[in-house]
Amino acid sequence: MEKPEDKRSRLRGKDRTRIACRRCNSKKVKCDAAPGVSCSGCQTAQAECIPIDSKRGRVSQTQQKNKTKQNADEGRRYVRRKNRSPAGRQPRNKAPASVSPARGQSPVSRRRISKNHAAPVAECTSTVEPVDGYLLRGLSRSFERRAPTDSSALFYLHIADQSVRPTQQPISDAISTFYAGDSFSLTYAIHDVLAPFLSDRLNYQKRLHFPIAEGFDPSDIGRENIVNGQVTLLRERNILHLLDPGALERMLDVYFRWFHPAFPLISSQGFLQNCLRNRMSLLVLNALLLVAATICDPADVAFTGCESRQHARRVFYTQAKALYDADLDPDKVNNVSAVFLMSFWWGGSNDEKDSWHWLGIAVSLAQSLGMHRSTAKSHMSDEKSKLWRRIWWCIRVRDTLTSGSIGRPQHTAHRDCDVEMLEPNDIADENLQGGEEAMYACQMARLSIIFSRIITSRYAAIQLTSESQKAQLGHDLENFRLQIPKALQYRGVHAETGKGLWSAMLLMAYKYAM
């Protein structure tokens, strides 16, 4: 008498079933049922093997054969591209090494996403192809069809491929980042469709910031000779104004001594050397000089070659604005830093592109990079994480102070951000001289959280804050005062050394919030 497994093998060799049973479909496992024969899973569980309806039966055999052939051809082309080696082509059914499934994991036949981005719908079949090859072929077919006209197609495919590897690629200073957002379709496809089947389930962690290797970022175009291109643009518009090395060093000293402790968003190490070697973006440099011209002594203005402080501010602002409008700096972090510094421009009460305008752009650019979200699970290098935290808290503090001073709604909301609080070790490498300088930015970050809630409670168009909540704000503000580090407790300002300046600045901000 013929055994069921022998009959199943004989029937599957002639006519492979196109449907699975309900039990295998619900468990999302391979079903080897054959016409008239129960699958091995149901036999083991002593359960009734009931086939489910298959929508693929509505497709004609000719259409099904053509579609199968097309999928197989495109799949082979994709695998050859991903796994090409000097020894020759790898076997047809071998999965790409970068996205191989976890050891001991059962293959799954197919997953697709519904149009409304609801839960993925699973369909099981007796196909023996590995799940990774099928799913990535589906992505590659969708993206590569648009590749000739849409350069972002292969870019998204690269992001998906990098993100589901068993060992996720870290984000270093040499690698750019991509932030898709929490509800973007690509984020959903990576975390909820691809990752559960193409990576190690036990070690996989969701990430919000994805690495972009060199050559895949569309903004890589024109990265070489960036400064030369910026100089050419300014010269063509007859607005080029460069400082000699002595004047540049003097203005940078003003910036890093009197402004940098409050807003440490630029790494000071090697900044002057990069400027003197023509390696520093003129967009960032002119925005920085705009701030330096605002706070420098009148005697320093003469070294810039400008007639007055206002003239110097306008010269540097005009250059920075022209470079930003021309999109001549492909570095996204440079753009965030430069626009933040441009928010210290004030051209008059009737100036549409004033401090509020540029600060709003800085917030938008930072959020587009995902700077408002924690990098703890993004495999980002420690140095880059610290830089991003400094930049984001500079923006938060500036947004709160500006909102409170000119009476406009804040650009940021506390509930939308989960960046870790700024700590002294985040700015320990910035060569700040004294203890109060190193602690000032951290204390202002803490104060800005309380101040932001106070502004909302006092000046919101629709008041929702109760009296008890207002009382709690006063209690939180008093606790902040009691917890100020000893190095930042105000004891006066030394006339010659300037010691105590940052303690006085913190006290002023505290009084302003009361």
Side-chain angles (χ1 to χ4, degrees):
M1 181 176 178
E2 187 180 30
K3 296 182 180 181
E5 53 269 26
D6 296 335
K7 183 178 181 181
R8 186 165 50 248
S9 300
R10 178 173 56 81
L11 292 175
R12 187 166 59 244
K14 293 182 179 180
D15 184 17
R16 293 166 60 184
T17 181
R18 294 177 299 175
I19 59 177
C21 71
R22 294 181 180 177
R23 182 178 178 277
C24 292
N25 181 59
S26 64
K27 292 181 174 294
K28 299 180 177 62
V29 298
K30 181 76 68 176
C31 181
D32 58 356
V37 182
S38 300
C39 68
S40 57
C42 291
Q43 287 185 2
T44 303
Q46 295 182 356
E48 185 180 4
C49 190
I50 304 175
I52 62 174
D53 294 333
S54 175
K55 295 181 180 180
R56 291 190 294 164
R58 302 174 186 175
V59 183
S60 66
Q61 293 183 358
T62 302
Q63 291 175 332
Q64 184 66 33
K65 290 181 180 179
N66 292 338
K67 184 176 180 180
T68 302
K69 184 178 182 301
Q70 181 182 4
N71 291 349
D73 292 340
E74 292 182 331
R76 284 193 295 270
R77 288 197 297 270
Y78 176 81
V79 173
R80 283 198 297 269
R81 285 195 301 272
K82 296 294 291 182
N83 301 283
R84 189 170 298 164
S85 64
R89 187 175 62 188
Q90 292 189 357
R92 172 181 174 182
N93 62 345
K94 187 171 182 179
S98 60
V99 291
S100 58
R103 181 175 298 177
Q105 183 176 332
S106 300
V108 180
S109 60
R110 174 182 300 188
R111 286 175 71 92
R112 61 183 176 85
I113 307 174
S114 59
K115 293 182 179 180
N116 60 354
H117 302 294
V121 180
E123 295 178 1
C124 289
T125 179
S126 60
T127 305
V128 296
E129 292 177 319
V131 59
D132 49 356
Y134 182 88
L135 289 176
L136 285 181
R137 280 206 307 275
L139 281 174
S140 73
R141 286 198 305 271
S142 174
F143 291 148
E144 290 181 358
R145 288 195 197 101
R146 297 184 288 118
T149 57
D150 185 359
S151 60
S152 64
L154 291 178
F155 171 73
Y156 289 144
L157 178 60
H158 163 73
I159 293 295
D161 182 39
Q162 294 287 318
S163 303
V164 296
R165 295 184 176 185
T167 302
Q168 297 196 23
Q169 182 180 8
I171 300 175
S172 63
D173 294 334
I175 299 178
S176 301
T177 59
F178 174 76
Y179 171 74
D182 296 349
S183 60
F184 187 51
S185 57
L186 178 62
T187 307
Y188 172 79
I190 292 173
H191 292 321
D192 297 300
V193 178
L194 293 176
F197 298 103
L198 303 187
S199 61
D200 189 344
R201 295 173 185 241
L202 297 179
N203 298 326
Y204 180 79
Q205 290 183 342
K206 290 186 177 181
R207 65 193 300 174
L208 294 175
H209 307 92
F210 303 108
I212 304 175
E214 184 178 0
F216 281 94
D217 190 350
S219 63
D220 281 340
I221 301 176
R223 280 188 181 272
E224 297 181 359
N225 300 322
I226 295 175
V227 178
N228 293 334
Q230 293 173 342
V231 170
T232 300
L233 174 73
L234 298 178
R235 181 176 288 113
E236 290 176 350
R237 298 190 180 185
N238 199 28
I239 57 174
L240 178 63
H241 185 89
L242 298 177
L243 301 183
D244 61 72
L248 179 60
E249 185 174 0
R250 193 182 188 99
M251 295 300 286
L252 290 180
D253 179 69
V254 170
Y255 174 88
F256 284 107
R257 183 178 181 183
W258 302 114
F259 183 85
H260 180 69
F263 299 101
L265 75 161
I266 293 178
S267 297
S268 59
Q269 296 180 352
F271 191 91
L272 177 60
Q273 287 76 8
N274 288 333
C275 292
L276 297 178
R277 295 174 183 175
N278 200 36
R279 294 180 180 178
M280 179 53 60
S281 167
L282 292 185
L283 170 62
V284 178
L285 180 58
N286 278 281
L288 182 151
L289 293 175
L290 163 66
V291 175
T294 305
I295 61 178
C296 69
D297 293 333
D300 295 326
V301 176
F303 287 93
T304 66
C306 299
E307 300 174 356
S308 63
R309 186 187 304 276
Q310 184 61 25
H311 179 216
R313 282 169 44 82
R314 183 170 293 278
V315 165
F316 297 129
Y317 170 75
T318 301
Q319 292 186 98
K321 182 177 180 299
L323 293 172
Y324 175 77
D325 292 340
D327 292 327
L328 285 184
D329 195 327
D331 192 312
K332 298 176 183 179
V333 177
N334 278 353
N335 281 272
V336 175
S337 302
V339 174
F340 172 81
L341 295 173
M342 290 169 66
S343 71
F344 288 86
W345 163 258
W346 180 264
S349 301
N350 198 35
D351 187 3
E352 181 180 3
K353 296 183 177 181
D354 57 1
S355 300
W356 193 251
H357 168 83
W358 292 112
L359 183 58
I361 294 179
V363 172
S364 298
L365 291 176
Q367 290 176 335
S368 69
L369 284 176
M371 286 186 172
H372 63 296
R373 300 303 307 273
S374 171
T375 60
K377 297 181 180 180
S378 294
H379 302 273
M380 188 175 290
S381 66
D382 187 57
E383 182 178 355
K384 193 166 187 175
S385 294
K386 290 181 178 180
L387 175 62
W388 279 36
R389 276 197 294 274
R390 295 199 305 268
I391 293 176
W392 178 250
W393 280 111
C394 288
I395 293 175
R396 286 291 306 272
V397 171
R398 171 72 170 157
D399 185 41
T400 304
L401 295 177
T402 305
S403 174
S405 62
I406 66 178
R408 294 183 185 178
Q410 301 174 66
H411 291 102
T412 58
H414 179 62
R415 293 184 177 181
D416 295 333
C417 316
D418 62 352
V419 179
E420 296 81 1
M421 179 55 65
L422 196 64
E423 300 293 344
N425 62 346
D426 292 329
I427 54 179
D429 59 342
E430 292 305 300
N431 297 326
L432 298 180
Q433 298 177 0
E436 61 173 343
E437 293 181 344
M439 295 180 183
Y440 174 79
C442 303
Q443 292 301 312
M444 283 300 299
R446 287 174 169 81
L447 180 60
S448 67
I449 300 299
I450 306 174
F451 193 18
S452 175
R453 292 160 52 200
I454 292 176
I455 293 174
T456 302
S457 66
R458 291 179 181 175
Y459 307 115
I462 301 177
Q463 292 290 336
L464 299 176
T465 307
S466 63
E467 293 299 325
S468 61
Q469 291 174 327
K470 292 181 180 180
Q472 182 62 42
L473 288 175
H475 180 69
D476 294 341
L477 194 60
E478 177 63 17
N479 283 340
F480 169 81
R481 184 186 69 82
L482 296 175
Q483 296 175 7
I484 294 177
K486 185 177 180 180
L488 273 175
Q489 295 177 3
Y490 179 68
R491 298 181 179 86
V493 180
H494 195 280
E496 296 181 0
T497 63
K499 185 177 181 179
L501 170 64
W502 300 107
S503 302
M505 295 284 289
L506 182 63
L507 179 62
M508 290 176 58
Y510 167 79
K511 293 290 186 181
Y512 185 64
M514 293 181 61

